[in-house]
Amino acid sequence: MAQNNNKMSYEEAGKKGGQATSKNQNKSFYEDIGSKGGQANAKEHSKEHFQDIGSQGGQANAKEHNKEHFQNIGSQGGNATADNHGKDFYEDIGSKGGKANADSHNKKHFQEIGAKGGRSSNNN
């Protein structure tokens, strides 16, 4: 502990307080204060602000990692999700996705994509 006339630095005091708090609080305490902080942050900034910082973070992340990195973490996330959820989970999210898709497109849209028969327009 660095001392200046027997006084703790702000960094040391913060660390000590954080350690004491973590001993006395549980997960729900941190979820609650995180939620409150997120709500306060959302009131202070616009949707565009969050889109901008998200885009900046995504671009920085893309510069730091290659395609294989993203394939690996995507696979890990998919496996973790599969390990934590059963068949009902996938049926539920599939149903929700299908409903959202149906609500956002008309019958003609589905007839047009059906006529393509799975052929890609951009030859992927």
Side-chain angles (χ1 to χ4, degrees), residues 24-44:
N24 297 321
Q25 299 297 339
N26 60 19
K27 181 180 176 183
S28 66
F29 167 80
Y30 290 101
E31 290 172 345
D32 186 44
I33 64 171
S35 177
K36 289 177 182 176
Q39 290 172 8
N41 199 18
K43 287 180 184 176
E44 292 292 320

Side-chain angles (χ1 to χ4, degrees), residues 6-100:
N6 294 328
K7 292 184 181 178
M8 229 185 285
S9 71
Y10 287 113
E11 181 180 346
E12 291 168 325
K15 183 177 179 180
K16 190 173 182 180
Q19 290 170 338
T21 300
S22 71
K23 289 179 183 176
N24 297 321
Q25 299 297 339
N26 60 19
K27 181 180 176 183
S28 66
F29 167 80
Y30 290 101
E31 290 172 345
D32 186 44
I33 64 171
S35 177
K36 289 177 182 176
Q39 290 172 8
N41 199 18
K43 287 180 184 176
E44 292 292 320
H45 300 287
S46 67
K47 176 182 175 181
E48 291 77 20
H49 166 77
F50 292 106
Q51 289 172 332
D52 185 43
I53 63 172
S55 177
Q56 290 174 16
Q59 290 171 12
N61 200 20
K63 287 180 184 176
E64 292 290 320
H65 302 287
N66 61 21
K67 178 180 177 180
E68 290 77 24
H69 167 77
F70 292 105
Q71 289 173 331
N72 184 35
I73 63 171
S75 178
Q76 289 175 2
N79 290 336
T81 301
D83 289 345
N84 291 320
H85 300 285
K87 180 181 175 186
D88 291 344
F89 170 78
Y90 289 99
E91 289 176 353
D92 185 44
I93 63 171
S95 177
K96 288 177 181 176
K99 182 174 180 350

